[in-house]
Amino acid sequence: QVQLVESGGGLVQPGGSLRLSCAVPGLTLDYFAIAWFRQAPGKEREGILCISSTNQTELYSDSVKHRFTGSRDNGKKMVFLQMHNLQPEDTAVYYCTTALAGYCYGKSQYRYDYWGQGTQVTVSS
């Protein structure tokens, strides 16, 4: 049983902040890396970052440098994406995913096995 459930999206003004959550109730989360992706309308799914089982972060998108931070709470079986200074170009559906491995598997969506349904983030004034 592997399920991922994203939440925390919504409508925010440019410059605002959101924290997205990814609940992974079916896994002993200590063992697994979790990655965040996003997909804007008409565009390919884009890797944002990944948090390994040892809490090391790989950043896949230059556009989120100094703005987005990943974290995890293994006891709660949750991972988070803290987003600051949001801009209209950040508007997308945000997904969490895992390849059921402790290491991060890179920025290609095709290396990951399980996905949530996504949560919509809309940045607009």
Side-chain angles (χ1 to χ4, degrees):
Q1 182 184 41
V2 179
Q3 299 181 60
L4 302 97
V5 182
E6 302 93 340
S7 63
L11 177 64
V12 63
Q13 293 185 350
S17 299
L18 285 173
R19 188 180 76 158
L20 306 183
S21 299
C22 173
V24 193
L27 296 178
T28 302
L29 194 56
D30 310 62
Y31 300 137
F32 304 112
I34 303 292
W36 287 95
F37 282 69
R38 65 185 181 183
Q39 188 165 23
K43 296 185 178 180
E44 289 289 310
R45 193 164 295 186
E46 174 192 23
I48 302 169
L49 56 81
C50 178
I51 311 161
S52 76
S53 64
T54 56
N55 206 31
Q56 302 298 304
T57 297
E58 293 187 2
L59 182 67
Y60 300 139
S61 175
D62 288 341
S63 69
V64 307
K65 285 182 178 178
H66 310 298
R67 298 193 299 124
F68 289 14
T69 303
S71 62
R72 63 196 298 142
D73 187 331
N74 292 334
K76 295 182 179 178
K77 297 189 175 184
M78 298 186 72
V79 298
F80 306 98
L81 184 67
Q82 181 67 57
M83 307 183 295
H84 296 292
N85 193 24
L86 286 161
Q87 300 299 311
E89 56 264 34
D90 297 314
T91 295
V93 178
Y94 284 70
Y95 300 89
C96 57
T97 183
T98 183
L100 295 182
Y103 296 99
C104 292
Y105 271 21
K107 63 181 180 180
S108 173
Q109 63 177 301
Y110 303 110
R111 300 201 67 184
Y112 297 88
D113 300 303
Y114 300 95
W115 299 83
Q117 294 299 306
T119 185
Q120 177 72 51
V121 172
T122 302
V123 185
S124 176
S125 60

Coordinates of all heavy atoms in Angstrom, one line a residue, residues 49-83:
L49 N 12.6 19.6 -6.4 CA 13.7 19.1 -5.5 C 13.3 17.7 -4.9 O 12.2 17.3 -5.0 CB 13.9 20.1 -4.3 CG 12.8 20.5 -3.4 CD1 12.5 19.5 -2.3 CD2 13.1 21.9 -2.8
C50 N 14.3 17.1 -4.3 CA 14.1 15.8 -3.7 C 14.8 15.8 -2.3 O 15.9 16.4 -2.2 CB 14.6 14.7 -4.6 SG 14.5 13.0 -3.9
I51 N 14.2 15.1 -1.4 CA 14.7 14.9 0.0 C 15.0 13.5 0.1 O 14.1 12.6 0.1 CB 13.8 15.4 1.0 CG1 13.2 16.8 0.7 CG2 14.5 15.4 2.4 CD1 12.0 17.2 1.4
S52 N 16.3 13.1 0.3 CA 16.7 11.7 0.5 C 16.3 11.2 1.9 O 15.9 12.0 2.8 CB 18.2 11.6 0.3 OG 18.9 12.0 1.4
S53 N 16.4 9.9 2.1 CA 16.1 9.3 3.4 C 17.1 9.8 4.5 O 16.7 9.7 5.7 CB 16.2 7.8 3.3 OG 17.5 7.4 3.0
T54 N 18.2 10.3 4.1 CA 19.2 10.9 5.0 C 19.0 12.4 5.2 O 19.9 13.1 5.7 CB 20.6 10.6 4.7 OG1 20.9 11.0 3.3 CG2 20.8 9.1 4.8
N55 N 17.9 13.0 4.6 CA 17.6 14.4 4.7 C 18.5 15.3 3.9 O 18.7 16.4 4.3 CB 17.5 14.8 6.2 CG 16.6 16.0 6.4 OD1 15.6 16.2 5.6 ND2 16.9 16.8 7.3
Q56 N 19.1 14.7 2.9 CA 19.9 15.5 1.9 C 19.0 16.0 0.8 O 18.1 15.3 0.3 CB 21.0 14.8 1.3 CG 22.0 14.2 2.4 CD 22.7 15.3 3.2 OE1 23.3 16.2 2.6 NE2 22.5 15.3 4.5
T57 N 19.1 17.3 0.4 CA 18.3 17.9 -0.6 C 19.0 18.0 -1.9 O 20.1 18.5 -2.0 CB 17.8 19.2 -0.2 OG1 17.0 19.1 1.0 CG2 16.9 19.9 -1.3
E58 N 18.4 17.5 -3.0 CA 18.8 17.8 -4.4 C 17.9 18.8 -5.0 O 16.7 18.6 -5.0 CB 18.8 16.5 -5.2 CG 19.9 15.5 -4.8 CD 20.0 14.4 -5.7 OE1 19.3 14.4 -6.8 OE2 20.8 13.4 -5.5
L59 N 18.4 19.9 -5.5 CA 17.6 20.9 -6.1 C 17.6 20.7 -7.6 O 18.7 20.6 -8.3 CB 18.2 22.3 -5.8 CG 17.4 23.5 -6.3 CD1 16.1 23.6 -5.7 CD2 18.2 24.8 -6.1
Y60 N 16.5 20.7 -8.3 CA 16.4 20.4 -9.7 C 16.0 21.6 -10.5 O 16.1 21.6 -11.7 CB 15.3 19.3 -9.9 CG 15.7 18.0 -9.3 CD1 14.7 17.2 -8.7 CD2 17.0 17.5 -9.3 CE1 15.0 16.0 -8.1 CE2 17.3 16.4 -8.7 CZ 16.4 15.6 -8.1 OH 16.7 14.4 -7.4
S61 N 15.5 22.7 -9.9 CA 15.0 23.9 -10.6 C 15.7 25.1 -10.1 O 15.6 25.5 -8.9 CB 13.5 24.0 -10.4 OG 13.1 25.2 -11.0
D62 N 16.5 25.8 -11.0 CA 17.1 27.0 -10.6 C 16.2 28.1 -10.3 O 16.5 29.0 -9.5 CB 18.0 27.5 -11.8 CG 19.3 26.7 -12.0 OD1 19.6 25.9 -11.0 OD2 19.9 26.7 -13.1
S63 N 15.0 28.0 -10.8 CA 14.0 29.1 -10.5 C 13.5 29.2 -9.1 O 12.9 30.2 -8.7 CB 12.8 28.9 -11.5 OG 12.0 27.8 -11.2
V64 N 13.7 28.1 -8.3 CA 13.2 28.1 -6.9 C 14.4 28.3 -5.9 O 14.1 28.2 -4.7 CB 12.5 26.8 -6.6 CG1 11.4 26.6 -7.6 CG2 13.4 25.6 -6.6
K65 N 15.6 28.5 -6.4 CA 16.7 28.8 -5.5 C 16.4 29.9 -4.5 O 15.9 30.9 -4.9 CB 18.0 29.1 -6.3 CG 18.6 27.9 -6.9 CD 19.9 28.3 -7.7 CE 20.6 27.2 -8.3 NZ 21.8 27.6 -9.0
H66 N 16.7 29.7 -3.3 CA 16.5 30.7 -2.2 C 15.0 31.0 -1.9 O 14.7 31.8 -1.1 CB 17.2 32.0 -2.5 CG 18.6 31.8 -2.9 ND1 19.6 31.3 -2.1 CD2 19.3 32.1 -4.1 CE1 20.7 31.2 -2.7 NE2 20.6 31.7 -4.0
R67 N 14.1 30.2 -2.5 CA 12.7 30.4 -2.3 C 12.0 29.2 -1.7 O 11.1 29.3 -0.9 CB 12.0 30.9 -3.5 CG 12.5 32.2 -4.1 CD 11.6 32.8 -5.1 NE 11.5 31.9 -6.3 CZ 10.3 31.4 -6.8 NH1 9.2 31.7 -6.2 NH2 10.3 30.6 -7.8
F68 N 12.3 28.0 -2.2 CA 11.7 26.8 -1.8 C 12.6 25.9 -0.9 O 13.8 25.8 -1.2 CB 11.3 26.0 -3.0 CG 10.2 26.5 -3.8 CD1 9.7 27.8 -3.7 CD2 9.5 25.7 -4.8 CE1 8.7 28.3 -4.5 CE2 8.5 26.2 -5.6 CZ 8.1 27.5 -5.4
T69 N 12.0 25.3 0.1 CA 12.8 24.4 1.0 C 11.9 23.2 1.3 O 10.8 23.2 1.6 CB 13.1 25.1 2.3 OG1 13.8 26.3 2.1 CG2 13.9 24.2 3.2
G70 N 12.6 22.0 1.1 CA 11.9 20.8 1.5 C 12.3 20.3 2.9 O 13.4 20.6 3.4
S71 N 11.4 19.6 3.5 CA 11.7 19.0 4.8 C 10.8 17.8 5.0 O 9.9 17.5 4.2 CB 11.4 20.1 5.9 OG 10.1 20.5 5.9
R72 N 11.1 17.1 6.1 CA 10.4 15.9 6.4 C 10.2 15.7 7.9 O 11.0 16.1 8.7 CB 11.0 14.6 5.8 CG 12.4 14.4 6.3 CD 13.2 13.4 5.4 NE 12.6 12.1 5.3 CZ 12.5 11.4 4.1 NH1 13.1 11.9 3.0 NH2 11.9 10.2 4.1
D73 N 9.1 15.0 8.2 CA 8.8 14.6 9.6 C 8.4 13.1 9.5 O 7.3 12.7 9.2 CB 7.7 15.4 10.2 CG 7.5 15.1 11.7 OD1 7.7 14.0 12.1 OD2 7.0 16.0 12.4
N74 N 9.4 12.3 9.7 CA 9.2 10.8 9.5 C 8.2 10.3 10.5 O 7.4 9.3 10.2 CB 10.5 10.1 9.6 CG 11.5 10.4 8.5 OD1 11.0 10.8 7.4 ND2 12.8 10.2 8.7
G75 N 8.2 10.8 11.7 CA 7.2 10.3 12.7 C 5.8 10.6 12.3 O 4.9 9.7 12.6
K76 N 5.6 11.7 11.7 CA 4.2 12.0 11.2 C 4.0 11.4 9.8 O 2.8 11.6 9.3 CB 4.0 13.5 11.2 CG 4.0 14.1 12.5 CD 3.8 15.6 12.4 CE 3.7 16.3 13.8 NZ 3.5 17.7 13.7
K77 N 5.0 10.8 9.2 CA 4.9 10.3 7.8 C 4.4 11.4 6.8 O 3.5 11.2 6.0 CB 3.9 9.1 7.8 CG 4.4 7.9 8.6 CD 3.6 6.7 8.3 CE 4.2 5.5 9.1 NZ 3.5 4.2 8.8
M78 N 5.1 12.5 6.9 CA 4.8 13.6 6.1 C 6.1 14.3 5.6 O 7.1 14.3 6.3 CB 4.0 14.7 6.8 CG 2.6 14.2 7.3 SD 1.6 15.4 8.0 CE 1.2 16.4 6.5
V79 N 6.0 14.9 4.4 CA 7.0 15.7 3.9 C 6.4 17.1 3.5 O 5.2 17.2 3.3 CB 7.8 15.1 2.7 CG1 8.5 13.8 3.1 CG2 6.8 14.9 1.5
F80 N 7.2 18.1 3.4 CA 6.7 19.5 3.2 C 7.5 20.2 2.1 O 8.7 19.9 1.9 CB 6.8 20.2 4.5 CG 6.2 19.6 5.7 CD1 6.9 18.8 6.6 CD2 4.8 19.7 5.9 CE1 6.3 18.2 7.6 CE2 4.2 19.1 6.9 CZ 4.9 18.3 7.8
L81 N 6.9 21.1 1.5 CA 7.5 22.1 0.6 C 7.1 23.5 1.0 O 6.0 23.9 0.9 CB 7.1 21.8 -0.8 CG 7.8 22.7 -1.9 CD1 9.3 22.3 -1.9 CD2 7.2 22.5 -3.2
Q82 N 8.1 24.2 1.6 CA 7.9 25.6 2.1 C 8.2 26.5 0.9 O 9.4 26.4 0.4 CB 8.7 25.9 3.3 CG 8.5 27.3 3.8 CD 7.1 27.5 4.4 OE1 6.7 26.8 5.3 NE2 6.4 28.5 3.8
M83 N 7.3 27.3 0.5 CA 7.5 28.2 -0.6 C 7.3 29.6 -0.2 O 6.3 30.0 0.4 CB 6.5 27.8 -1.8 CG 6.5 26.4 -2.2 SD 5.4 26.0 -3.5 CE 3.8 26.4 -2.8

